[in-house]
Each structure stands twice: as structure tokens, then as C-alpha cells.
Amino acid sequence: MAVKMEQSWKAHLQEEFEKPYFKSLTQFIRKEYENKTVFPPARLIFNAFDSCPFDEVKVVIVGQDPYHEPGQAHGLCFSVNEGIQLPPSLVNIYKEIENDLGKAVPRSGNLEKWARQGVFLLNATLTVQAHRAGSHQGKGWEEFTDAAIRHLAEERDHLVFILWGAYAQRKGERIDTNRHLVLRSPHPSPLSAHRGFFGNKHFSKANDYLFATGKEPIDW
């Protein structure tokens, strides 16, 4: 099946494209884009992959769903387009960076600069219907993104996996913690951030690990 995606990722995930679940998923997604308002724009469905080639990944952050309101989602988890108001979870992410690293909170919620440095910003589900959170869950995306995480965990060494909330933590259950750094905490959502997201120091811990394993730290 012809899928437009960054070449290194395409090579690693080619076997997924031929599986029955992915063919069914593709048919479903095509109909959704034809008949409904779906985010992100179709050309940005695989933006996380296109922005961060397989061999350049250093940190993996796992989200759940794309944002489901107009103008927000552009294919990178927790990130929004320029000029869009910062979503509450991203506000809390920035607060933790400020507390952890002493960096001022940026005005922009666009996290492309992280992706360019090797932060793979992966949502478990890559599309969503407008105004309907979770509307594309259980259609096959989860199996596909599980495969992406599995390839990274098994074929790369000394990566940082940042798993916020129970959903992301389930996605990372099989990662070898002797081979990679796995950081877990509650989700940055206002509903849970005060239960242990604030003060998790995941950003400095990630950079310390990258430095210790010979990689350039991330400019968060």
C-alpha cells in the first residue's frame, strides 16, 4: 500500500501497511475525510514521522488524541499551530519546564523545534473528528503507533521515553528499561498535573541521560 511518509520510517513500518487492520483503517480514514471535518489536515497525519526521521529520534513523547478544535492540530502531540491559544496541558508542560530548567514560558505552542532536535511527538491516534475527542480510537491507529514504539525500543539504544498518564504508560509497558530511560508521571492535564506531573523534572532528567549517553541534550 502506498503511504506518503518520511523514508526511514516508511522502511521500518512497511510491513504494517500490508496488514489487514491498516487497510481497513485507511478505508475508514478516507471516508471520514471525505464526509466529515477531521483533524489534522490530511497532509499532516504523519507529521510526527516526517519531522523526526527514525535514526534521529532521541526522545519519544506519547500523547493520546490530536486536538479536535479548528486550527489546533498539526500532527505533533501536545503541539498547536502558531497563533493558536495554548491548550491547558501545554501550559502545564511549559510551567514544568520553567520550574525544572528556569526557562521562560514561550508564547508559541508550536513544538516543531523539539521535533527538529529529535523529539518524536507521537499521538496514539493520529486523526480525530472535529469536536469529538476519541472519535477515531479503536480503528487501528493504536496498533500502528504501537509498532512505531516497538521498532524504536528494539532497534535503537539509549532513547528517552516520556509517558504521561495511564494511557501513555500502557503504550510503553514493554520497553526495556535496561536499554532506555523510561520516565512516567501523571498527565499534564489540569485534572491531574498536581498529582505528580509538576515536579517530575522529566526535562532535566532526559537531558542528563542524553548527555551521559553521548547525545546532544534538547533545547526545551
Side-chain angles (χ1 to χ4, degrees):
M1 182 175 291
V3 174
K4 292 182 180 179
M5 179 187 282
E6 192 278 328
Q7 281 303 118
S8 64
W9 273 111
K10 192 171 184 177
H12 284 88
L13 294 170
Q14 187 63 46
E15 61 187 17
E16 300 301 313
F17 303 148
E18 306 306 325
K19 292 180 179 178
Y21 87 85
F22 194 84
K23 293 179 181 180
S24 298
L25 170 64
T26 301
Q27 291 172 352
F28 168 76
I29 294 300
R30 280 181 180 151
K31 287 180 182 176
E32 287 286 285
Y33 274 93
E34 285 171 5
N35 299 308
K36 295 169 184 170
T37 302
V38 178
F39 301 124
R43 62 186 171 80
L44 295 176
I45 290 174
F46 296 113
N47 194 21
F49 299 85
D50 296 337
S51 301
C52 193
F54 185 86
D55 292 325
E56 295 178 20
V57 175
K58 295 189 286 190
V59 177
V60 181
I61 298 180
V62 178
Q64 189 166 346
D65 248 13
Y67 295 119
H68 52 81
E69 296 301 326
Q72 292 181 310
H74 64 130
L76 306 178
C77 74
F78 295 105
S79 180
V80 290
N81 283 302
E82 298 288 346
I84 297 294
Q85 183 177 352
L86 301 183
S89 289
L90 185 55
V91 169
N92 287 340
I93 288 168
Y94 281 165
K95 282 181 182 176
E96 177 57 24
I97 291 173
E98 183 179 34
N99 293 335
D100 186 10
L101 301 173
K103 299 190 65 147
V105 173
R107 292 181 181 176
S108 171
N110 189 320
L111 304 181
E112 287 176 346
K113 77 163 196 170
W114 292 6
R116 288 194 295 268
Q117 296 176 77
V119 182
F120 185 43
L121 295 162
L122 180 68
N123 273 316
T125 304
L126 299 186
T127 55
V128 70
Q129 203 181 115
H131 318 303
R132 292 190 60 204
S135 50
H136 287 182
Q137 290 178 9
K139 304 296 184 182
W141 279 132
E142 294 90 344
E143 188 171 345
F144 180 73
T145 53
D146 278 348
I149 292 169
R150 184 175 68 251
H151 277 283
L152 285 169
E154 293 177 358
E155 298 169 39
R156 297 286 312 280
D157 290 305
H158 305 309
L159 300 181
V160 181
F161 289 87
I162 296 179
L163 308 174
W164 294 325
Y167 187 91
Q169 287 161 28
R170 286 194 296 273
K171 295 282 283 185
E173 281 176 343
R174 297 182 182 179
I175 297 166
D176 183 350
T177 55
N178 294 313
R179 188 170 177 174
H180 304 286
L181 177 64
V182 180
L183 299 173
R184 300 178 177 90
S185 84
H187 194 276
S189 159
L191 298 174
S192 55
H194 292 281
R195 295 192 213 128
F197 174 79
F198 289 131
N200 66 23
K201 297 191 178 297
H202 281 180
F203 302 97
S204 60
K205 287 175 180 176
N207 277 353
D208 289 346
Y209 182 81
L210 292 174
F211 183 78
T213 54
K215 297 186 178 81
E216 188 74 23
I218 304 299
D219 177 11
W220 299 106

